[in-house]
Amino acid sequence: MSNCLFCKIIAGDISADKIYEDDDVLAFHDIGAQAPHHFLVIPKKHISTLNDVDDAALVGKLTLTASQIAKDFGFAENGYRVVMNCNEQGGQTVYHIHLHCLGGRQLTWPPG
Ligand code: 5GP
Ligand code: ZN
C-alpha cells in the first residue's frame, strides 16, 4: 500500500534497522524502543489491523519469528512480551499489523 509506513520499509524506501527477513515477514528494531530489546515483526503482505487477519499461519509465523529472535538475542529464558495493538483504543498508530516484542527488563502488568 503506497501510503503505508511499514510497506515503505518493506520496499526499502524508508530505512530500518533490520533483524530478520524472509519471503513472508520482516523484523526490525522499533525506533521508539520501550525496553532494552524492542523489535517489531510484520508481514510483508499489507494487512491493516488484526480485525482484517484471515491467515492463521501468517500470524503464527509472526509469533514464531519473535520467539526465535528472542532466543537468538539471548533474552528468551529471562522472559519477554509480545503484543499486537488493534485500532484506536488498543493503541495502534501504524495501520500495518505488527507484533511488538519487548524484553531485557522487568515488564509490569497490567499495561496502561
Ligand atoms: P503501534 O502503536 O501501532 O502498536 O506501534 C507502532 C510502532 O512503530 C511504535 O512503537 C513506533 O515506535 C514504531 N515506529 C513508528 N515509525 C517507525 C519508523 O519509521 N521506524 C521504526 N523502526 N519504527 C517505527
Ligand atoms: Zn503496509
Side-chain angles (χ1 to χ4, degrees):
M1 191 178 265
S2 60
N3 63 346
C4 170
L5 174 65
F6 287 173
C7 282
K8 289 177 182 169
I9 287 176
I10 291 163
D13 296 336
I14 293 176
S15 65
D17 189 2
K18 294 181 184 179
I19 300 167
Y20 174 79
E21 183 170 15
D22 65 22
D23 287 345
D24 304 314
V25 304
L26 172 66
F28 53 96
H29 293 280
D30 194 299
I31 203 169
Q34 299 297 312
H37 298 284
H38 184 180
F39 62 85
L40 306 174
V41 189
I42 70 175
K44 288 200 166 172
K45 179 168 72 174
H46 179 88
I47 303 170
S48 295
T49 81
L50 186 56
N51 291 337
D52 304 305
V53 169
D54 60 5
D55 186 342
L58 183 59
V59 177
K61 186 162 183 178
L62 298 179
T63 309
L64 288 181
T65 301
S67 66
Q68 185 59 56
I69 292 169
K71 290 172 188 171
D72 292 345
F73 282 4
F75 63 91
E77 283 301 318
N78 282 343
Y80 57 96
R81 180 173 297 161
V82 293
V83 63
M84 189 182 292
N85 298 326
C86 182
N87 278 338
E88 187 177 353
Q89 290 197 347
Q92 186 172 6
T93 60
V94 178
Y95 282 78
H96 178 131
I97 62 166
H98 46 282
L99 203 64
H100 292 260
C101 182
L102 302 106
R105 67 169 172 84
Q106 183 62 54
L107 298 166
T108 56
W109 190 265

